[in-house]
Amino acid sequence: MELATLHDYSDRFVRVSTYTLVALWLLWVWGPIVWDLFTGLAVTPRTDPPRLIPAQITLEHYRRIFTSGDMLTYIRNSVIVTGVSTSVSVVVGALAAYSLTRYDPGDGQVSFFALSMRFLPPIAVAIPMYTLFLGFDWIDTWQSLIVAYLTVGIPISTWILLIFFQNIPEELEEASRVDGWSRIQTWRRVVLPLAAPGISSAAILTAILMWNEYVLALVLTTTSKAQTVPIYLAGFVTTRGILWGRMGAATVVAMTPLLVLTFIAQDRLVAGFSLE
């Protein structure tokens, strides 16, 4: 067999393997989302297990979650809690990450400690926080969730942004200082623009984490006054069965804000992930 023929076979094998892996990855990622979409559109008894392709299609489940439930209230709670906790986490994380890359007094130990806080499962801090917030009369309030979410958001934001600030040459800051800029001016005019893709990536990933948080919201809230979307979705699992249709419709609606946010910021997200 000629060398050119072997080369053609090897190229064909690489292409087929690549396409197969991409197809399997797309099926793994988008398969559950498509299934949820069809489940929310299916005309079936409320507790029947879902089928991938429904025999009949209806918008009744979507109508019911908006007319007979508190879906909008839960979405409002999630938007407020996620927005505030993400904003604070990214601001504090950016300041902490920059400080640790320039003035880390522990030779990396402080950075590791910040990251190690992410290793804690939420349930490990949920009960102590419940006891603390009970004394402040914060149970079933937005502020309890915001403060609790910061214990998760700040470490992950700091850890993500450490990588980006480490890749910003200190020589640029020294040059700006020579030009007479203060450290705050250097931070605002030099460091932040260069770190903008990383900050966007950290904000999106932190927002996804906050939006999907379930354990802390379950422990610290008791009514729809402050409960978030994951608690609402869990409510479709009842003692009489699982309300598959309404759960599928509500899941699609709950995913939409994050999908829209990701598509809007996809350029900055890709730039942040590809930053070397």
Side-chain angles (χ1 to χ4, degrees):
M1 186 177 294
E2 296 181 358
L3 184 61
T5 304
L6 288 174
H7 182 70
D8 291 340
Y9 278 127
S10 63
D11 285 346
R12 188 177 306 171
F13 175 77
V14 170
R15 287 197 299 270
V16 171
S17 301
T18 302
Y19 293 150
T20 301
L21 290 175
V22 171
L24 291 174
W25 178 81
L26 290 175
L27 180 62
W28 177 265
V29 173
W30 287 99
I33 298 177
V34 174
W35 199 325
D36 278 329
L37 178 63
F38 284 131
T39 300
L41 294 173
V43 178
T44 57
R46 295 188 306 171
T47 58
D48 276 2
R51 291 168 35 181
L52 179 58
I53 305 299
Q56 293 178 291
I57 290 179
T58 180
L59 294 176
E60 178 65 17
H61 300 303
Y62 288 91
R63 185 189 68 81
R64 291 195 64 184
I65 64 173
F66 286 112
T67 58
S68 62
D70 298 325
M71 182 71 178
L72 294 178
T73 301
Y74 290 91
I75 291 178
R76 179 203 63 187
N77 296 338
S78 286
V79 169
I80 293 174
V81 172
T82 300
V84 175
S85 59
T86 299
S87 300
V88 175
S89 295
V90 171
V91 171
V92 175
L95 295 173
Y98 177 75
S99 300
L100 291 173
T101 56
R102 299 298 188 264
Y103 316 104
D104 189 353
D107 193 23
Q109 298 303 316
V110 178
S111 303
F112 177 78
F113 175 76
L115 177 59
S116 67
M117 297 300 294
R118 183 64 188 93
F119 299 158
L120 285 174
I123 193 62
V125 296
I127 303 304
M129 283 189 174
Y130 180 88
T131 305
L132 177 65
F133 295 149
L134 188 62
F136 291 146
D137 196 22
W138 278 11
I139 299 301
D140 203 27
T141 61
W142 293 337
Q143 54 264 36
S144 66
L145 292 180
I146 292 171
V147 174
Y149 284 9
L150 292 180
T151 62
V152 179
I154 292 177
I156 194 67
S157 298
T158 303
W159 177 61
I160 294 172
L161 290 172
L162 274 172
I163 302 172
F164 296 97
F165 285 118
Q166 287 172 350
N167 290 322
I168 298 177
E170 295 187 39
E171 290 78 8
L172 296 177
E173 301 176 48
E174 295 173 356
S176 65
R177 297 296 300 277
V178 171
D179 290 339
W181 288 3
S182 66
R183 187 165 296 280
I184 294 179
Q185 289 176 317
T186 301
W187 161 264
R188 182 167 55 88
R189 298 181 182 180
V190 177
V191 177
L192 282 184
L194 292 175
I199 293 174
S200 300
S201 301
I204 293 174
L205 294 177
T206 304
I208 293 174
L209 194 64
M210 301 294 97
W211 186 271
N212 293 325
E213 176 57 44
Y214 174 77
V215 174
L216 293 174
L218 178 65
V219 173
L220 298 176
T221 58
T222 56
T223 67
S224 61
K225 174 185 175 182
Q227 286 177 334
T228 54
V229 169
I231 306 300
Y232 176 72
L233 295 178
F236 292 115
V237 180
T238 69
T239 56
R240 293 176 295 174
I242 300 176
L243 307 181
W244 291 106
R246 294 175 63 182
M247 178 182 283
T251 301
V252 172
V253 174
M255 289 188 298
T256 301
L258 289 181
L259 290 176
V260 172
L261 174 64
T262 303
F263 279 119
I264 291 175
Q266 62 180 328
D267 292 338
R268 284 187 173 273
L269 190 62
V270 172
F273 286 151
S274 60
L275 183 62
E276 299 180 356

